[in-house]
Amino acid sequence: MAAIPFAICNGRWPGPKNTHMRKMFLGGRSEAGKTTLTQALKNEDTHYVKTQYVKTWDVTIDTPGEYSESKNHVGFALGCFSFESDVIALVCAADEPYNLFGPGIAGVCTRPVIGVITKIHSPGAHVSQAEEWLHNAGVSKIFLVDSVTGEGVDELRQYLNEEPHKISMEEAIENQNKGLKDWGAR
């Protein structure tokens, strides 16, 4: 009997589980470093693997870059898979030649949206340009990460381990009526 690929077995990482870490949806172009970031968060050796389909791990929901590169698919991916996450990360490599994320895209999400800039030490890195793109997209916080060296990974992991601020339904409705993007804001 052939072994079942573990992506089919709920995509759960068979190693020790971090039950406190919030699950993060990763969206970004092909080769932006989403899978490598997942490997770094899980303390695995980094190796290139082309993501062919959505993979749900214990720490991340890793999407193919084609979902973000196609205007028609980014919304489907956010709509279908972001509900299974606690945080949405727009991943942008520091050496990307153009921006994929439209202004204010974070406003359509029902989860906190952060930015993750990968490949910060790439020879063609333009970190400030990537930061501007992510700010324009409406992210609440940006993490600078080098998944190969591990730089910035601990800060992202610490953020994912933070307990989210909880509010009542009445507080959420009041904040929504005030026009606050973060309904949990005080």
Side-chain angles (χ1 to χ4, degrees):
M1 175 180 231
I4 299 172
F6 88 68
I8 294 173
C9 302
N10 292 327
R12 297 293 183 191
W13 178 45
K17 294 184 179 184
N18 183 342
T19 58
H20 302 292
M21 190 178 289
R22 294 182 284 170
K23 184 175 271 193
M24 182 172 52
F25 172 92
L26 301 174
R29 74 167 181 82
S30 296
E31 299 182 16
K34 300 177 300 294
T35 302
T36 306
L37 177 61
T38 296
Q39 292 168 353
L41 286 169
K42 293 170 26 174
N43 292 315
E44 293 182 350
D45 291 334
T46 57
H47 57 282
Y48 179 75
V49 177
K50 170 65 180 117
T51 303
Q52 299 290 331
Y53 50 89
V54 176
K55 293 182 181 178
T56 301
W57 306 93
D58 58 335
V59 178
T60 63
I61 298 173
D62 190 3
T63 60
E66 291 79 8
Y67 279 35
S68 294
E69 294 165 355
S70 169
K71 183 169 64 172
N72 297 328
H73 290 110
V74 69
F76 295 143
L78 279 172
C80 291
F81 301 105
S82 65
F83 290 103
E84 295 182 26
S85 68
D86 301 303
V87 176
I88 295 171
L90 302 182
V91 181
C92 182
D95 59 1
E96 289 189 17
Y98 54 88
N99 180 22
L100 288 179
F101 305 114
I105 192 172
V108 302
C109 300
T110 59
R111 304 287 188 267
V113 181
I114 62 171
V116 178
I117 300 175
T118 59
K119 303 182 183 182
I120 57 173
H121 297 302
S122 170
H126 297 286
V127 174
S128 61
Q129 179 67 66
E131 285 178 315
E132 184 177 336
W133 291 338
L134 291 172
H135 280 298
N136 288 341
V139 302
S140 60
K141 186 171 180 113
I142 295 176
F143 294 89
L144 305 178
V145 173
D146 185 324
S147 299
V148 176
T149 67
E151 183 178 339
V153 173
D154 284 338
E155 290 82 2
L156 178 57
R157 193 179 288 120
Q158 181 179 7
Y159 170 81
L160 293 172
N161 279 315
E162 290 174 2
E163 185 66 30
H165 174 67
K166 295 180 181 173
I167 63 170
S168 69
M169 180 60 80
E170 291 78 22
E171 290 174 296
I173 291 169
E174 182 180 328
N175 288 344
Q176 181 185 20
N177 289 337
K178 289 178 184 175
L180 297 176
K181 180 178 182 238
D182 180 4
W183 298 349
R186 292 187 175 191

